[in-house]
Amino acid sequence: MEQGEKIIANQEEFFNQNAQSQKIPTRESLFTTYANKEQINGFLWIENQRKILEYGCGTGTSLDIFFKNRQRNKYKICGVDIAQLAIDKAKENYPQFNFYKISNNKIPQIKNDSLDAVFMFHVLHHADKYQEIFREIHKKTKKGGRFLINDLTSNNPFNKLARLIFIFMPNFVKRKFGDDLVVGESIPKKNKVSPEKIRVQLEEVRFEIQEMGYGHLFFFVFGWLDRFIPFSKVTFVRFFYKKLISLEKALLRYTFFQNGAEVFYIKCIKK
Ligand SMILES: C[S@@+](CC[C@H](N)C(=O)[O-])C[C@H]1O[C@@H](n2cnc3c(N)ncnc32)[C@H](O)[C@@H]1O
């Protein structure tokens, strides 16, 4: 959906604007759970930790997923982000937790070796100097603490093809994707992320990789299609989609298909 739009390179500026813009809530469907499955599974890996940092928390959308079925009083959550207005919104929804605006990939508000776990969702493709971010997170995490990353690769050929529809029907697409990262005519600059490079950088700052995985080969496209015509409400089509999900999972075990995955996740531990 990117052609013809204004691309904002200053992420702080974009995400401050984004925090103020009214978003249309996503319609719950088979696809919303499927789209978030790497995050949902990742949360199971850190849910028994108490002191947790979300790096690049934005307005707190991922915290909403985390706290869908967990008690807030079991956790000491801290969120950091470069966008003050996003943090203000997160604080409104989670007044019992601490949120800090940060800059230059540094978190002076948090003591060294103090965090049980950190998670970072969809930040890398908006950031640079990853090594600096990883080094800072490593410093703030306890020995044996967990670090979970979930991000987009932008490698998926089907998604690239599907985005072409925007050229022909921009307004129609915009109406259907009201929850997307678009403010007026602007979208944020996005970087292509190489999961392999990220793995190497994490190891360089002495994180030990526990698990790495890939998601979403062609299923995003079906999810998009469902916004235009909600086929997934039809029982027969839901059955077909579920079969496709199994096929996609099987294909993503092979390197060839992993290279075209839209999403990757990495679970690692501070040595
Ligand atoms: C796509 S949003 C994701 C927000 C949230 N993690 C979620 O999953 O809903 C990306 C967030 O990363 C933040 N961000 C970008 N670069 C950053 C950096 N270098 N340090 C901290 N936050 C950053 C942006 O301000 C934005 O809030």
Side-chain angles (χ1 to χ4, degrees):
M1 287 203 301
E2 302 181 6
Q3 290 79 357
E5 306 230 331
K6 188 178 153 206
I7 297 178
I8 299 195
N10 182 328
Q11 302 285 332
E12 182 179 346
E13 179 191 327
F14 177 84
F15 281 102
N16 272 328
Q17 285 176 19
N18 187 56
Q20 290 172 294
S21 76
Q22 283 294 333
K23 298 283 171 194
I24 301 164
T26 320
R27 179 176 61 82
E28 285 288 323
S29 76
L30 170 72
F31 296 102
T32 43
T33 316
Y34 187 73
N36 292 329
K37 71 182 180 351
E38 288 80 20
Q39 298 184 23
I40 294 168
N41 290 339
F43 279 149
L44 294 175
W45 186 61
I46 57 169
E47 70 177 356
N48 292 328
Q49 311 299 313
R50 179 161 160 74
K51 198 165 177 203
I52 300 178
L53 166 73
E54 179 176 5
Y55 189 95
C57 59
T59 55
T61 314
S62 294
L63 289 175
D64 296 341
I65 298 175
F66 186 76
F67 285 113
K68 233 177 187 171
N69 52 4
R70 291 177 185 89
Q71 287 173 345
R72 294 189 189 195
N73 60 9
K74 279 180 68 183
Y75 297 95
K76 231 179 141 189
I77 302 279
C78 177
V80 295
D81 201 287
I82 52 172
Q84 181 66 55
L85 297 181
I87 285 171
D88 291 347
K89 212 154 199 179
K91 183 77 186 165
E92 250 172 53
N93 295 333
Y94 296 94
Q96 63 276 70
F97 299 143
N98 291 321
F99 294 91
Y100 304 114
K101 176 184 160 36
I102 58 163
S103 46
N104 304 322
N105 305 326
K106 293 278 178 278
I107 323 169
Q109 301 88 345
I110 294 182
K111 282 192 198 144
N112 291 354
D113 304 303
S114 66
L115 299 166
D116 298 313
V118 180
F119 68 94
M120 179 164 68
F121 291 168
H122 299 160
V123 176
L124 292 177
H125 70 281
H126 294 289
D128 48 20
K129 302 187 184 157
Y130 303 151
Q131 194 80 338
E132 251 179 49
I133 300 178
F134 298 154
R135 197 166 286 123
E136 185 70 357
I137 289 174
H138 187 272
K139 206 159 97 183
K140 303 293 164 179
T141 308
K142 284 178 187 165
K143 194 166 181 233
R146 299 179 170 201
F147 180 26
L148 170 68
I149 296 178
N150 188 184
D151 224 291
L152 300 180
T153 62
S154 303
N155 274 343
N156 190 301
F158 301 112
N159 285 7
K160 282 180 197 155
L161 204 64
R163 283 190 176 105
L164 292 179
I165 190 179
F166 181 74
I167 296 173
F168 303 105
M169 298 188 274
N171 290 329
F172 180 62
V173 174
K174 265 188 199 163
R175 276 200 303 278
K176 295 291 172 189
F177 289 83
D179 56 339
D180 231 9
L181 273 187
V182 182
V183 178
E185 296 297 312
S186 308
I187 57 166
K189 183 170 176 279
K190 293 175 195 157
N191 309 317
K192 228 171 169 358
V193 180
S194 155
E196 189 46 32
K197 276 192 194 151
I198 299 298
R199 184 186 66 75
V200 171
Q201 289 183 327
L202 286 165
E203 285 178 339
E204 274 169 10
V205 302
R206 296 187 58 74
F207 274 112
E208 185 182 307
I209 309 297
Q210 288 271 299
E211 190 182 320
M212 204 163 160
Y214 298 86
H216 305 284
L217 192 55
F218 47 73
F219 219 72
F220 267 177
V221 174
F222 285 93
W224 287 357
L225 192 67
D226 205 61
R227 296 198 187 198
F228 298 118
I229 316 162
F231 282 132
S232 66
K233 286 186 174 165
V234 182
T235 314
F236 166 74
V237 181
R238 284 176 71 87
F239 176 79
F240 168 72
Y241 281 153
K242 282 183 181 162
K243 291 284 166 212
L244 273 179
I245 287 176
S246 310
L247 171 67
E248 185 173 271
K249 275 189 192 152
L251 293 176
L252 282 169
R253 290 195 201 109
Y254 301 96
T255 313
F256 175 79
F257 292 104
Q258 288 172 355
N259 290 337
E262 183 65 4
V263 168
F264 72 97
Y265 69 84
I266 299 180
K267 294 174 180 172
C268 54
I269 303 265
K270 174 169 171 174
K271 281 191 199 171

